[in-house]
Amino acid sequence: MKKKLIVANWKMNPTTLKQAEGIVKRYKDVSNLVVCPPFVFLNSIKLNKVQLGAQNCFWLNEGSFTGEVSPAMLKSIGCKYVILGHFERRSIFKEDNKTINLKVKACLKSNLNVILCISELKQLKKSLDGIERLNKVIIAYEPAWAIGTGKACSTSLAEKKRLLIKELFPSCRVLYGGSVNEDNYLDYNNFDGLLVGELSLKKEFNSIL
Ligand code: PGA
């Protein structure tokens, strides 16, 4: 059986490179961990077995797109994963399924593994429309109300959603995300792994690795 994939989503934290280095230093050096720091820290933090991921990406590789970062750029610095369609991207930055679909296609073309976040199942088909290399797509089920609230999804509801996602996309690994902590992470043992926000910045994170 494949090892569980643990994705650390730092969001817009921490404030300094020194702090970022400190967080990574604390992590167990395991190959099933993907750390996703802010773009500015991607190229500076030193990793051994732990893998590198980005939190977002544009859908073209170069050009006049001020402020954006491309799949080719991520690839060139050794990034293997990219989170796309996170709830915060959808709600704060108004990214829709069409945009996310363009990003998924572009990242797969650059051979990046995509961690596609959804909070509702209806986002799934449109975000993955026309995509063939589904073996490189990992779906993260993260109910909007569970993200950063301390109110994790019940095991039974999460399991129901996991099965529905597997029915639609059997070749994709499925992660759970939303208020995962050191006390509840085993509730999602049927999933292929976890997408972890707040806990991934704390020293207690090691206990789930
Ligand atoms: P959380 O965030 O673990 O802090 O709830 C999860 C996420 O947003 O990916």
Side-chain angles (χ1 to χ4, degrees):
M1 208 177 90
K2 267 189 187 162
K3 256 194 166 180
K4 306 259 182 223
L5 187 72
I6 310 290
V7 181
N9 177 14
W10 289 6
K11 310 191 181 188
M12 201 174 72
N13 301 292
T15 327
T16 68
L17 175 59
K18 205 161 174 219
Q19 289 168 332
E21 286 167 343
I23 295 168
V24 165
K25 235 181 242 166
R26 275 204 310 260
Y27 285 170
K28 276 185 201 161
D29 192 23
V30 288
S31 59
N32 60 320
L33 172 61
V34 178
V35 58
C36 303
F39 285 130
V40 287
F41 301 142
L42 274 174
N43 211 16
S44 314
I45 57 174
K46 304 271 175 300
L47 303 168
N48 191 8
K49 288 192 199 136
V50 175
Q51 307 194 66
L52 202 56
Q55 300 174 17
N56 183 29
C57 185
F58 193 58
W59 61 80
L60 293 173
N61 276 334
E62 56 184 20
S64 306
F65 305 101
T66 304
E68 294 296 326
V69 171
S70 79
M73 291 170 185
L74 293 178
K75 192 79 193 162
S76 80
I77 58 150
C79 224
K80 298 242 164 65
Y81 291 81
V82 59
I83 297 173
L84 295 175
H86 188 278
F87 171 69
E88 286 146 17
R89 301 288 329 161
R90 293 177 189 262
S91 58
I92 303 169
F93 302 100
K94 309 295 172 214
E95 285 189 19
D96 59 13
N97 292 317
K98 221 171 144 189
T99 307
I100 294 159
N101 182 255
L102 286 173
K103 294 183 172 197
V104 174
K105 284 178 177 155
C107 287
L108 290 176
K109 219 170 173 183
S110 285
N111 221 18
L112 291 160
N113 294 287
V114 169
I115 301 158
L116 171 71
C117 298
I118 55 148
S119 50
E120 293 166 40
L121 260 69
K122 66 175 187 222
Q123 294 165 336
L124 206 48
K125 278 195 176 158
K126 283 187 185 154
S127 301
L128 291 179
D129 186 39
I131 284 152
E132 281 161 13
R133 295 176 66 199
L134 286 165
N135 61 324
K136 283 192 81 78
V137 177
I138 299 153
I139 297 165
Y141 171 62
E142 298 200 297
W145 44 264
I147 297 174
T149 59
K151 294 187 192 123
C153 187
S154 69
T155 317
S156 55
L157 180 62
E159 179 59 4
K160 205 167 125 191
K161 300 289 183 182
R162 187 189 70 83
L163 291 170
L164 288 169
I165 295 168
K166 277 281 182 193
E167 234 168 71
L168 291 169
F169 294 97
S171 59
C172 295
R173 279 187 278 173
V174 184
L175 312 182
Y176 170 77
S179 296
V180 170
N181 60 42
E182 63 275 36
D183 298 320
N184 67 15
Y185 74 101
L186 288 174
D187 294 352
Y188 312 103
N189 224 6
N190 287 347
F191 282 76
D192 301 303
L194 300 164
L195 178 44
V196 185
E198 204 178 319
L199 180 71
S200 70
L201 300 164
K202 300 181 179 166
K203 55 180 184 310
E204 291 81 9
F205 183 55
N206 264 345
S207 64
I208 79 161
L209 297 176

